[in-house]
Amino acid sequence: MSSSKKPSMIIPDEELIARDVEAYLEQHKHKDLLRLLTCGSVDDGKSTLIGRLLYDAKMIYEDQLAAVHRDSRIHGTTGDDFDPALLTDGLKAEREQGITIDVAYRYFSTSKRKFIIADTPGHEQYTRNMATGASNCQLAIILIDARHGVTVQTKRHSFIASLLGISHVVVAVNKMDLADWSEKVYEDIRQAYNAVCARLAFKDVHFIPMSALHGDNVVDSSPHSPWYKGPTLLHHLENVTITSNRNLIDMRFPVQYVLRPDLNFRGFAGTVASGVMRPGDEVMVLPARTTTKIAEIVSWDGPLNHAFPPMSVVVRLQDEVDASRGDMIVPVNNIPRVESEFDAMLVWMNESAGREGKKYLVKHACAQLPGTLEKVRYEVDINSMRKKDPACDEQGATVLNLNSISRVRMVLHRPLIFDAYERNHDTGSFILIDRMSNATVAAGMILDRTSAADSADSAAPSSDHAANITRESSLVSRHERELLLGQRAQTLWFTGLSGSGKSTIAKLLERELTDDGRLCYILDGDNIRHGLNRDLGFSADDRKENIRRIAEVARLLNDAGVIVITAFISPYRNDRAMARDIIGIDSFSELYVNTPVEVCEARDPKGLYKKARLGQITDFTGIDAPYEAPKEPAFVVETAQDTPETCVDKIMAFMKARESTRAKK
Ligand SMILES: Nc1ncnc2c1ncn2[C@@H]1O[C@H](COP(=O)(O)OS(=O)(=O)O)[C@@H](OP(=O)(O)O)[C@H]1O
Ligand SMILES: Nc1ncnc2c1ncn2[C@@H]1O[C@H](COP(=O)(O)OP(=O)(O)O)[C@@H](O)[C@H]1O
């Protein structure tokens, strides 16, 4: 078997099976699982490598082996010798063509670990299978033929692996026997690949020179590479430390079925996509935004005190809540985005090109709905890993060709419940289906809002940085801080025109609340724009970013137990909805300072309306930039008829009434 050393606690499988089957099964149950994939160009030797790994690790049944020895003579590329590729090239068509054409999954285990290998195809047009096979893998083996070095396909597969969030990589420099086991050849490839990695988000990259066909450095160390002091492939796979890519923070439970066996039971069945759910948790059902608590979590084994991915469970809620397939149960103060527009990285996987402006079906964990490929922001130049202009057809229309990787803007016909891919692989990925042919044409990964489309020169989206960031949970909860402060943290979000009275009222309210013994803090437009947001102007995009950052700050302050009062024009409904989503619907109140523009202009406390009328300032809200009044604000402040003090009294009364209804709940 492997030349690797095993820790004394672990008894080799074959020894344990012979001695004590029960003990073997117990040991097997507790081994951790490593999901990996192999990728490389055609003929780099993926199937051979996997076959060799299985064979040398003694994972092949005798009858399988006999069949392969027989087949080697008929189909093999090795004369009468044993061809390990035939162990894995299961499909008849691929045997005949000599290439692998679909993702094949192989399962094997050693005394230390269990492994699932996705054998993905290397042929150019099969990037699709590569993208689908890779989506839940933790480690990628990138095969490079020592004679050819780093190719475009090596770069493409590496880019996709990085995009999919795989952070551990083994570069198998294969066919070293055909390169005379030259250390220089190996070193040159190492250098070339390291240059590729500089633009990708891998955490660790390990190089191994090998000959998969002859078994050098796969399971056993090779006598041909005395200059290589590292581990064999199997030893590395058994021992590499894998950082978990399971998200146990953001609880997401997409409802798959509603169960109603009798009038007394109504449960929602599904698989926990991420996070941990417990009975008693306060949850919200999206998209209805109904809040309730988890009453019970049940599995085949009876009631559970918690559930986590990928457990399939039935959830019963405390209140009679209407939810159906495609809805999602989430925590009240950590909800996903519910929006109809987003940016995504798209891998085009179909012969017929994608088109800017064309409608597709978007298939996502929670829904299947129509949407438009609104804009292609850029295409990735795989050779340089930088952005380039998207391709055009003869008529000058922007198109996405087979195997292209691009950043696009998607606009859906109705809102979708989703997260950014780097935060949640299940709720952050989707596929596009052509509505005429029904073919799957692209795989997409949704980007975080902060991932700027036009700044960086590197094609890798800026959310790649987030791939290296792990969320840290606190030992102190928001609830504990609220108890300490004797208040319920929340954000009072004032919106209204410039001069409507937001700042005046916010300041008086802060005074009043403080006098009432509450800890509160104002975030005001003018102040924030001098510091945190001094890089932002007044375009729609800048205002959106302004609101996003403020909402994030408000969320942090709320988490610290503080009551936040914001005074920003926040003229766009979508931006305010985003703020509500970031802060959490239960902590957010929209207060509309409803002062007509004529009154604001007459007040003109900063002389800005005058300047706007003279054309000295542009994009001024109410003059040459829009203000979208709230449709259902929690409270309306009428400054044209009430004095500032009356306005504040009324707001205090509203807050107290709201608090007492919440307390009764
Ligand atoms: N073009 C234009 N449009 C609107 N407002 C302008 C503009 N230029 C400068 N100002 C001053 O900036 C303050 C608004 O900033 P906000 O951060 O509240 O604006 S927004 O929410 O991002 O729309 C706003 O403050 P308030 O008057 O307190 O509302 C103005 O003083
Ligand atoms: N009822 C009222 N509430 C708030 N401000 C009022 C009221 N009546 C008159 N004002 C005046 O209107 C102006 C509002 O300015 P400001 O509070 O800076 O508005 P904003 O922050 O919305 O731009 C102030 O000069 C204030 O004295």
Side-chain angles (χ1 to χ4, degrees):
M1 266 203 69
S2 156
S3 61
S4 60
K5 290 184 199 71
K6 297 187 171 69
S8 53
M9 293 304 290
I10 297 173
I11 304 169
D13 278 356
E14 61 273 36
E15 207 182 309
L16 202 58
I17 293 172
R19 233 200 297 151
D20 184 348
V21 171
E22 293 285 324
Y24 162 76
L25 290 174
E26 194 55 27
Q27 172 170 302
H28 188 72
K29 209 163 77 187
H30 294 108
K31 287 177 205 165
D32 65 348
L33 174 70
L34 173 62
R35 291 174 171 274
L36 60 140
L37 84 155
T38 50
C39 38
S41 306
V42 177
D43 290 340
D44 282 344
K46 293 177 310 301
S47 303
T48 308
L49 175 64
I50 297 174
R52 173 57 68 186
L53 202 56
L54 299 180
Y55 179 71
D56 284 4
K58 303 197 173 32
M59 292 293 146
I60 310 294
Y61 294 117
E62 303 231 322
D63 57 338
Q64 275 179 317
L65 212 52
V68 168
H69 277 297
R70 194 183 54 234
D71 282 9
S72 294
R73 267 170 256 132
I74 308 164
H75 303 286
T77 53
T78 49
D80 272 358
D81 288 344
F82 160 70
D83 182 354
L86 294 179
L87 277 171
T88 44
D89 283 354
L91 296 168
K92 194 166 179 288
E94 67 188 12
R95 285 190 190 183
E96 280 161 7
Q97 291 174 28
I99 52 166
T100 314
I101 58 164
D102 206 345
V103 183
Y105 290 93
R106 308 285 152 198
Y107 176 89
F108 77 101
S109 79
T110 67
S111 314
K112 284 197 179 171
R113 263 196 175 143
K114 295 184 260 192
F115 300 91
I116 293 178
I117 312 184
D119 180 14
T120 61
H123 215 255
E124 276 275 348
Q125 69 257 43
Y126 301 131
T127 307
R128 161 199 176 138
N129 292 329
M130 152 84 203
T132 35
S135 56
N136 56 12
C137 287
Q138 298 147 304
L139 180 146
I141 301 178
I142 309 259
L143 269 120
I144 296 180
D145 185 324
R147 297 166 304 171
H148 306 141
V150 174
T151 62
V152 175
Q153 190 69 299
T154 315
K155 293 183 186 176
R156 192 186 307 282
H157 284 164
S158 302
F159 194 92
I160 296 175
S162 164
L163 208 56
L164 288 164
I166 298 176
S167 47
H168 305 279
V169 168
V170 175
V171 181
V173 183
N174 193 25
K175 306 198 183 179
M176 281 300 292
D177 51 319
L178 302 180
D180 295 330
W181 286 98
S182 154
E183 187 178 1
K184 179 168 184 317
V185 166
Y186 171 74
E187 277 305 324
D188 287 350
I189 291 174
R190 237 166 91 101
Q191 269 185 27
Y193 192 80
N194 275 333
V196 172
C197 285
R199 296 194 158 268
L200 301 175
F202 296 141
K203 278 194 193 114
D204 76 81
V205 179
H206 192 88
F207 295 83
I208 305 178
M210 65 175 63
S211 165
L213 189 61
H214 302 298
D216 297 84
N217 290 334
V218 178
V219 171
D220 300 311
S221 292
S222 169
H224 301 114
S225 55
W227 39 266
Y228 172 70
K229 306 285 180 237
T232 64
L233 177 65
L234 184 65
H235 185 254
H236 181 75
L237 296 180
E238 279 185 316
N239 292 287
V240 60
T241 310
I242 298 292
T243 41
S244 167
N245 55 4
R246 272 205 309 186
N247 177 342
L248 293 176
I249 294 177
D250 309 301
M251 192 271 279
R252 306 286 183 251
F253 184 74
V255 174
Q256 270 153 13
Y257 300 102
V258 181
L259 298 180
R260 185 131 225 190
D262 57 61
L263 280 178
N264 302 320
F265 188 91
R266 183 187 173 86
F268 302 104
T271 304
V272 188
S274 60
V276 181
M277 52 197 323
R278 295 184 181 81
D281 281 355
E282 282 190 63
V283 291
M284 180 184 289
V285 181
L286 293 174
R289 297 184 171 272
T290 326
T291 56
T292 178
K293 282 188 179 170
I294 295 180
E296 194 185 19
I297 304 173
V298 207
S299 76
W300 282 115
D301 303 324
L304 302 171
N305 52 18
H306 62 272
F308 51 86
M311 288 167 73
S312 292
V313 293
V314 172
V315 172
R316 209 166 53 73
L317 300 174
Q318 208 163 67
D319 304 288
E320 237 339 80
V321 168
D322 235 351
S324 47
R325 188 187 171 85
D327 288 3
M328 203 190 286
I329 299 176
V330 302
V332 281
N333 46 22
N334 173 357
I335 65 175
R337 288 160 64 185
V338 187
E339 290 167 28
S340 46
E341 290 185 30
F342 53 79
D343 269 27
M345 295 303 291
L346 207 58
V347 182
W348 199 261
M349 312 192 294
N350 201 266
E351 298 282 354
S352 90
R355 260 162 221 290
E356 197 174 68
K358 187 174 165 176
K359 286 197 181 67
Y360 294 92
L361 266 186
V362 177
K363 195 162 181 252
H364 177 263
C366 294
Q368 178 159 320
L369 69 169
T372 307
L373 204 170
E374 182 75 6
K375 183 158 184 56
V376 182
R377 295 199 192 274
Y378 60 79
E379 194 182 316
V380 178
D381 179 337
I382 286 300
N383 253 317
S384 65
M385 303 245 172
R386 285 170 197 266
K387 297 169 189 176
K388 67 174 183 185
D389 287 338
C392 289
D393 65 7
E394 282 122 31
Q395 285 78 46
T398 301
V399 290
L400 297 174
N401 290 317
L402 178 66
N403 290 327
S404 63
I405 302 169
S406 320
R407 176 168 176 154
V408 301
R409 180 83 180 154
M410 294 297 307
V411 176
L412 310 184
H413 288 199
R414 60 188 159 78
L416 181 73
I417 308 167
F418 64 90
D419 291 287
Y421 181 82
E422 48 103 349
R423 188 161 169 174
N424 197 317
H425 288 196
D426 288 306
T427 56
S429 56
F430 63 93
I431 55 171
L432 287 191
I433 296 171
D434 186 288
R435 303 198 319 167
M436 295 300 285
S437 66
N438 233 357
T440 302
V441 291
M445 284 132 266
I446 301 175
L447 292 170
D448 200 280
R449 280 200 203 88
T450 51
S451 168
D454 355 84
S455 52
D457 154 63
S458 167
S462 56
S463 64
D464 275 359
H465 300 305
N468 299 327
I469 300 169
T470 321
R471 286 154 155 263
E472 206 55 77
S473 57
S474 171
L475 296 176
V476 183
S477 71
R478 166 171 168 172
H479 185 61
E480 278 177 87
R481 294 194 189 94
E482 288 181 332
L483 285 177
L484 202 68
L485 294 166
Q487 65 183 30
R488 188 179 169 128
Q490 55 181 305
T491 296
L492 301 164
W493 189 280
F494 285 101
T495 168
L497 293 167
S498 172
S500 58
K502 300 180 299 295
S503 309
T504 308
I505 288 167
K507 278 192 274 185
L508 285 178
L509 182 64
E510 187 186 34
R511 180 74 266 160
E512 191 74 21
L513 283 168
T514 311
D515 292 346
D516 201 38
R518 329 267 192 111
L519 179 65
C520 53
Y521 192 75
I522 295 184
L523 298 174
D524 188 289
D526 288 326
N527 298 345
I528 296 279
R529 280 179 173 279
H530 275 114
L532 178 66
N533 291 352
R534 66 169 173 229
D535 55 323
L536 301 176
F538 290 91
S539 66
D541 275 355
D542 275 9
R543 289 187 202 241
K544 180 176 189 149
E545 178 58 10
N546 183 37
I547 299 309
R548 187 192 69 77
R549 290 186 201 167
I550 288 141
E552 291 288 355
V553 174
R555 173 161 84 157
L556 293 176
L557 284 169
N558 282 169
D559 199 41
V562 179
I563 297 171
V564 175
I565 305 169
T566 69
F568 299 89
I569 299 179
S570 42
Y572 297 108
R573 264 184 220 120
N574 268 344
D575 296 357
R576 294 192 301 264
M578 166 184 72
R580 178 195 57 203
D581 289 348
I582 292 172
I583 292 164
I585 192 165
D586 263 21
S587 307
F588 178 93
S589 302
E590 188 178 49
L591 292 92
Y592 175 33
V593 186
N594 180 21
T595 315
V597 65
E598 312 77 61
V599 178
C600 298
E601 191 167 359
R603 289 179 184 166
D604 206 4
K606 298 170 192 153
L608 295 175
Y609 282 92
K610 191 162 163 231
K611 283 191 184 166
R613 289 287 181 205
L614 292 170
Q616 291 166 357
I617 349 179
T618 53
D619 291 333
F620 193 77
T621 313
I623 304 295
D624 59 349
Y627 179 79
E628 298 168 2
K631 284 190 174 147
E632 288 178 284
F635 190 82
V636 183
V637 190
E638 303 282 3
T639 76
Q641 62 193 48
D642 292 334
T643 63
E645 290 71 22
T646 311
C647 294
V648 171
D649 287 348
K650 287 187 176 173
I651 296 169
M652 287 295 285
F654 153 77
M655 282 178 72
K656 289 201 167 137
R658 207 173 147 131
E659 274 165 14
S660 73
T661 1
R662 276 180 175 158
K664 275 184 210 141
K665 261 196 189 174

